[in-house]
Amino acid sequence: MIPAAAIDELRARIDPVEVIGRRLELRKSGTSFSASCPFHADKTPSFHVYPDSRRFKCFGCGARGDVFAFLQRFEVK
């Protein structure tokens, strides 16, 4: 098992905009980045990535989490 401290260190070092941006076309929107959500049929960009908190949230389907949660959900779909 990977120690929690190692996971927390990785989480702090990973840029969510870079990782998620390799899979979605992100556009700068104020202090966040937005895109159409990959987890539901989205006609307008409701998916947001917040670099300061290193989190994402979809205001359409409610998906949220950190970069690890995004990758797990994105790779399974």
Side-chain angles (χ1 to χ4, degrees):
M1 183 171 203
I2 300 172
I7 294 171
D8 290 340
E9 183 178 340
L10 276 174
R11 188 176 282 122
R13 290 182 178 204
I14 294 172
D15 179 2
V17 173
E18 182 180 334
V19 174
I20 296 171
R22 290 182 184 181
R23 289 153 179 86
L24 303 179
E25 186 177 332
L26 296 175
R27 294 179 188 209
K28 182 87 168 133
S29 176
T31 59
S32 67
F33 291 79
S34 64
S36 293
C37 183
F39 306 126
H40 75 281
D42 203 6
K43 293 182 182 177
T44 60
S46 62
F47 184 89
H48 292 268
V49 179
Y50 301 96
D52 292 343
S53 63
R54 302 189 176 287
R55 314 280 296 165
F56 74 88
K57 179 177 180 181
C58 176
F59 290 93
C61 69
R64 65 176 63 205
D66 61 14
V67 104
F68 297 127
F70 173 83
L71 290 173
Q72 287 174 331
R73 190 166 181 171
F74 187 84
E75 297 300 325
V76 171
K77 73 170 192 129

